[in-house]
Amino acid sequence: MDDLVYFTKRYLPLVAVVGGLAGAFVYAAGGFGSGRVTAQQFVDLQQGNKVHEGFRRAHAKGFCVAGEFVSDGTLQPYTTALVFSKRTTPFTGRFSIAGNDPTAPDLKAPVRSLALSIAVDPQNVWRTAMNTPPVMAVRNPEDFYQQLTALAPDKETGKRDPKKIQQFFAAHPESRAFTRWASEYRASDSLATETYHSINAFYLEDSAGHRRAVRWEARPGKTEEEDHGVTTGEGSNALQDEFFRRLAFGPVTFDLVFTLAEEEDDESDPTQPWPAARQQLVAGKVVITDATPQVNGSCNAINFDPLVLPPGVAATDDRILRARSAAYAESYRRRAFEHWKMETLNSNGEESADE
């Protein structure tokens, strides 16, 4: 009961965070395999009544980054993935904020994300979409859909129903780790100083076929001296502008840290954090050297599907992970069609919408 009271007091910021996590789902077709909730339903819910054509249905606002992933080979005993051998591999990435509005103010977003596409060659591509929350509130797509429904504003009043929200979380005790995180999280003043989590677990596979469940996170690699006096302004593009100014002084870096699960850890449950004592390995460094607006940027056409994995990395049975992949694909299909429509209008000499 104490947890419920605690939650009731703090649910408002949580609403925003959950909305942001929903955004994490609605990036990229098809159903989730349950026959009850489909990717189309998720994407319909996220895009709402106002569709911003040509944009992602969630995490619509963002910008592209590029650089290199420098691996020192630390993970080689655990995986055959070439990207984790001792090598440097270029990547295309994207920072984004939660929501379906591509003009939303940066500092109002409850969730921030970093997505990467790292390609050694066409057969060895790794894509990851990481978010600031370390865990999910629920462990299956059906509950997540109901969660979003509980959080949705009333169509007539435009306001959320605290009683409905409280009832949902009271009925889902597995959300306790998530609500605790949400109540304690304080956004930083820079995308460069956040920690971004895989949320879901994956398997690393070695040459003998042995599997080890892991989660990973991108931890900021900067020091105070590397701030160079760059501060965050107040405009709607405050975070993007700050990042661009910061990059002018040199690369922005993140350490890519892997946490290894033990046998008692459930790799299929994204609601449960693993004990802090679990072994962690720094697999390498993400070095960002370039950033560009997303309009016509190199990241804009990429579907950062978390199930695009190289040989040596495999998906777990986590149903949320498959839901993410399906929803990302549906969102991608919609905006790809809209881009085709815009180009067709342009080729016919008619006025088209701009991103």
Side-chain angles (χ1 to χ4, degrees):
M1 183 58 73
D2 287 346
D3 286 337
L4 199 54
V5 172
Y6 152 84
F7 164 74
T8 303
K9 293 179 178 177
R10 304 304 299 265
Y11 82 87
L12 279 177
L14 177 63
V15 167
V17 172
V18 171
L21 266 182
F25 272 60
V26 188
Y27 252 58
F32 298 145
S34 67
R36 290 186 289 170
V37 182
T38 68
Q40 289 78 14
Q41 288 174 301
F42 267 111
V43 177
D44 287 345
L45 189 63
Q46 282 304 294
Q47 71 179 18
N49 295 325
K50 185 177 181 180
V51 177
H52 298 276
E53 291 197 350
F55 289 90
R56 289 168 166 86
R57 286 340 195 225
H59 286 251
K61 187 177 184 183
F63 60 89
C64 301
V65 294
E68 296 177 330
F69 172 57
V70 183
S71 169
D72 61 7
T74 297
L75 289 187
Q76 276 190 296
Y78 301 94
T79 178
T80 60
L82 293 179
V83 69
F84 297 122
S85 59
K86 192 172 183 178
R87 63 188 301 146
T88 297
T89 310
F91 68 79
T92 299
R94 182 175 184 263
F95 281 105
S96 63
I97 60 172
N100 61 6
D101 183 356
T103 65
D106 287 353
L107 297 177
K108 297 290 186 182
V111 170
R112 301 166 179 180
S113 300
L114 171 60
L116 300 173
S117 177
I118 309 173
V120 174
D121 57 49
Q123 287 72 46
N124 290 275
V125 179
W126 179 38
R127 292 180 181 171
T128 177
M130 298 173 283
N131 297 287
T132 42
V135 292
M136 293 291 298
V138 292
R139 57 173 63 100
N140 64 67
E142 293 78 19
D143 286 347
F144 188 70
Y145 188 83
Q146 295 305 318
Q147 179 185 351
L148 295 181
T149 303
L151 296 171
D154 182 271
K155 290 183 179 179
E156 294 185 0
T157 66
K159 297 180 179 178
R160 295 183 170 93
D161 184 342
K163 185 177 180 181
K164 187 187 295 184
I165 297 171
Q166 183 177 345
Q167 288 175 337
F168 176 86
F169 282 95
H172 292 274
E174 73 273 22
S175 65
R176 196 161 297 161
F178 174 80
T179 56
R180 185 176 301 116
W181 173 86
S183 67
E184 296 171 354
Y185 171 69
R186 298 292 180 271
S188 77
D189 59 359
S190 173
L191 294 170
T193 57
E194 293 281 6
T195 296
Y196 303 89
H197 304 84
S198 66
I199 300 179
N200 309 99
F202 296 78
Y203 293 117
L204 295 182
E205 297 178 325
D206 67 17
S207 57
H210 299 133
R211 285 183 163 187
R212 188 72 178 261
V214 297
R215 286 171 173 160
W216 57 76
E217 59 193 61
R219 293 179 183 169
K222 81 172 193 66
T223 65
E224 293 296 329
E225 290 72 22
E226 293 172 323
D227 279 341
H228 301 288
V230 176
T231 58
T232 304
E234 297 180 349
S236 63
N237 298 324
L239 290 176
Q240 176 175 309
D241 293 343
E242 190 272 350
F243 192 91
F244 280 43
R245 289 196 298 270
R246 178 185 293 268
L247 201 58
F249 290 95
V252 172
T253 65
F254 292 86
D255 290 328
L256 201 58
V257 182
F258 280 66
T259 299
L260 279 59
E262 296 294 342
E263 288 188 5
E264 57 267 39
D265 299 324
D266 185 352
E267 65 267 30
S268 299
D269 186 352
T271 70
Q272 298 305 307
W274 296 343
R278 294 290 179 261
Q279 183 181 7
Q280 293 190 322
L281 299 171
V282 180
K285 192 174 289 294
V286 175
V287 183
I288 300 173
T289 56
D290 186 54
T292 58
Q294 69 175 349
V295 176
N296 299 320
S298 57
C299 71
N300 212 26
I302 296 177
N303 171 17
F304 290 98
D305 182 347
L307 288 186
V308 175
L309 302 168
V313 184
T316 61
D317 291 333
D318 182 350
R319 293 184 58 210
I320 292 287
L321 182 56
R322 282 157 179 77
R324 291 180 67 182
S325 179
Y328 284 26
E330 173 62 15
S331 177
Y332 184 84
R333 182 190 66 78
R334 295 186 188 192
R335 65 189 180 94
F337 171 75
E338 291 155 359
H339 279 284
W340 171 83
K341 188 170 63 176
M342 294 174 192
E343 292 172 359
T344 301
L345 288 173
N346 274 336
S347 65
N348 291 334
E350 299 178 32
E351 186 176 354
S352 67
D354 292 325
E355 275 203 343

